[in-house]
Amino acid sequence: MAGEVVVAGAKNSALKLAAAALLAPGRSRITNVPDISDVATMADVVAGLGAVVEREDHALVIDATELTSYEAPYEVVSRMRASIAVLGPLVARLGRARVAMPGGCAIGSRKVDMHISGLQALGVRFAFEHGNIEATAPDGLHGATVTLEFPSVGATENLLMAAVLARGTTVIENAAREPEIADLAAFLGALGARIEGAGTPTITVTGVESLTPADHRVVGDRIEAGTFLVAGALTGGPVTVRGVDSAHMEMVLVKLEQAGCHIETEPEAITVLREGPILPADIQTLPYPGFPTDMQAQFMALMALAEGSCVITENVFENRFMFADEIVRMGADIRIEGHHALVKGVDSLSGAPVRCPDLRAGAALVLAGLAAEGETEVMETTHIERGYERFVDKLAALGADIETREE
Ligand code: EPZ
């Protein structure tokens, strides 16, 4: 595989930006929006609240002049956990919200306790009834200092979106630092919010009376970019990804280099080339700027073919190794011990029918299939379509022998 691929806007930013648009009465326009099914679900969530949503080519126009509902029902939340991102904006704008309690998912139980306790500190009262989170703020929201137990991406985002309309100053300590947080803060800033420190562990928000709509371009998807870089690393490359800020990918690039790849970066492009063998590199997932959990499965596919052994440690989610059993069916030598995976590189993988357990693992199985001998049939690819736009077409354009078949 060789050539160039342009990545889409970041799924995990676009979804939150759509929720944030609810904060500002009027028409906000979000561009560089990926054409994926999770975005369609978020558009449904936002429309269900009464906002008028128009989908344009890679853009969402959200008119939040009037909100007619404060509820994100189970039907949508069970389809997509990220629907919980409307909790903060709804309670800030309307003083109440009802959001179905997200259940467990394929990668762990994924609690929302930090979202709840953080918002409680801002004056939100909670009740839990009939599987719903009932949030009310009868006296409005007020600023507070909230120290997160763990730098949760979703909790940081919900707090940020609530704090922008709270009275006084909110300080979020131990905040998540992901580039998608900085992107959300940039959009909120364009709406008129006063935020300092987004992208650092301490975010300070000075509440304002109201926000006004704005336009914003979604940051490039560092996980999509990383996935194509691993595809290049597995097959040799050179593969160049464009449309992503290479500064957002430092740890992934360090690990690709340790794995024997040559990396060249420009501000908005990264090229990977591998001429020698794949070398083993230990990996541990951590909140940003650590190695992203969303790249763990793709790296496991790479390490499965390394010349030697390594340990991959998953620190962010409790159950994100389900992928390993599938790639073992392709001939990989992987042993799971709690949250460590011991990966002994093998000389080759052999194509097999496999099932996608979740989005990133699904992408990783496709990559493993590209490197394997013979045909690999990857089933349940709707998981992949949640987060990757035209994944098969983009891989085929790089020279991969891949096609979609109806299941
Ligand atoms: C976001 O999930 C992403 N999803 C995930 O992307 C990503 O893996 C994750 O951040 C970490 O980077 C979206 O942005 C839509 P967290 P989020 O809150 O916000 C625990 C993908 O493939 N936790 O940082 O849910 C939680 O259980 C995905 O695109 C609590 O215990 O992640 C987990 O173990 C999947 N209590 C850890 O923290 C809470 O209140 C990190 O979760 C909140 C989280």
Side-chain angles (χ1 to χ4, degrees):
M1 279 170 63
E4 292 202 357
V5 59
V6 178
V7 300
K11 165 181 85 88
N12 288 345
S13 186
L15 299 176
K16 320 312 166 58
L17 296 171
L22 296 169
L23 287 161
R27 259 167 86 90
S28 289
R29 189 158 189 274
I30 306 167
T31 56
N32 200 31
V33 173
D35 192 3
I36 52 176
S37 63
D38 269 9
V39 164
T41 304
M42 197 53 153
D44 288 349
V45 173
V46 168
L49 298 166
V52 179
V53 183
E54 287 165 45
R55 284 192 74 178
E56 295 176 354
D57 180 24
H58 291 96
L60 277 180
V61 180
I62 299 178
D63 186 337
T65 304
E66 227 183 310
L67 299 185
T68 51
S69 163
Y70 57 88
E71 179 168 6
Y74 184 64
E75 188 270 315
V76 285
V77 180
S78 60
R79 258 199 287 159
M80 188 184 70
R81 292 180 55 91
S83 315
I84 188 110
V86 300
L87 179 61
L90 284 177
V91 82
R93 173 137 177 225
L94 303 177
R96 66 186 305 181
R98 177 184 298 147
V99 177
M101 196 78 176
C105 78
I107 59 176
S109 71
R110 299 184 74 180
K111 298 191 291 284
V112 289
D113 55 321
M114 284 185 265
H115 299 237
I116 305 289
S117 57
L119 290 169
Q120 266 169 341
L122 301 193
V124 181
R125 291 192 201 149
F126 284 95
F128 303 92
E129 284 165 6
H130 311 298
N132 292 322
I133 302 170
E134 300 275 354
T136 48
D139 308 318
L141 302 178
H142 55 73
T145 295
V146 178
T147 304
L148 294 176
E149 210 175 300
F150 178 90
S152 153
V153 172
T156 303
E157 290 166 338
N158 252 329
L159 278 170
L160 201 49
M161 291 189 278
V164 290
L165 288 178
R167 285 187 308 278
T169 302
T170 299
V171 180
I172 310 171
E173 299 276 16
N174 199 22
R177 288 184 269 170
E178 271 68 4
E180 293 75 25
I181 302 279
D183 201 33
L184 173 62
F187 179 49
L188 293 169
L191 299 177
R194 292 174 58 195
I195 300 170
E196 278 170 35
T200 79
T202 304
I203 305 179
T204 305
V205 185
T206 309
V208 296
E209 280 283 313
S210 61
L211 297 169
T212 49
D215 295 352
H216 182 82
R217 183 181 163 82
V218 180
V219 66
D221 196 318
R222 66 198 164 95
I223 306 300
E224 186 191 3
T227 303
F228 284 111
L229 290 176
V230 171
L234 268 167
T235 56
V239 167
T240 299
V241 295
R242 295 196 179 277
V244 67
D245 186 341
S246 53
H248 294 163
M249 302 201 55
E250 266 181 36
M251 193 53 73
V252 168
L253 301 184
V254 165
K255 290 295 167 185
L256 283 169
E257 281 177 335
Q258 286 178 11
C261 300
H262 176 70
I263 300 286
E264 265 174 39
T265 59
E266 296 163 43
E268 285 275 322
I270 305 164
T271 301
V272 65
L273 170 70
R274 181 178 58 81
E275 285 167 331
I278 300 171
L279 303 176
D282 290 340
I283 283 166
Q284 55 169 320
T285 67
L286 282 171
Y288 188 84
F291 187 90
T293 173
D294 291 347
M295 285 299 302
Q296 185 253 103
Q298 299 88 317
F299 259 76
M300 199 186 284
L302 181 62
M303 289 300 112
L305 286 166
E307 213 172 64
S309 304
C310 71
V311 179
I312 298 181
T313 304
E314 173 59 55
N315 292 309
V316 179
F317 288 107
E318 60 200 18
N319 190 18
R320 218 174 186 180
F321 282 146
M322 279 177 18
F323 156 79
D325 288 337
E326 293 297 302
I327 193 176
V328 163
R329 297 188 55 255
M330 298 174 72
D333 183 348
I334 301 170
R335 203 171 84 223
I336 305 296
E337 297 278 354
H339 66 132
H340 303 290
L342 312 177
V343 185
K344 272 193 201 155
V346 293
D347 290 339
S348 63
L349 294 174
S350 75
V354 288
R355 279 184 196 284
C356 298
D358 71 80
L359 162 62
R360 307 300 171 189
L365 286 169
V366 172
L367 302 188
L370 294 176
E373 286 166 11
E375 188 175 284
T376 296
E377 190 175 355
V378 182
M379 287 169 282
E380 295 174 24
T381 52
T382 47
H383 289 292
I384 300 178
E385 287 151 20
R386 293 184 60 165
Y388 290 90
E389 178 177 321
R390 298 189 306 105
F391 193 48
V392 168
D393 295 347
K394 287 183 179 183
L395 288 168
L398 290 171
D401 182 356
I402 185 169
E403 62 175 21
T404 311
R405 285 185 201 148
E406 292 306 317
E407 279 185 40

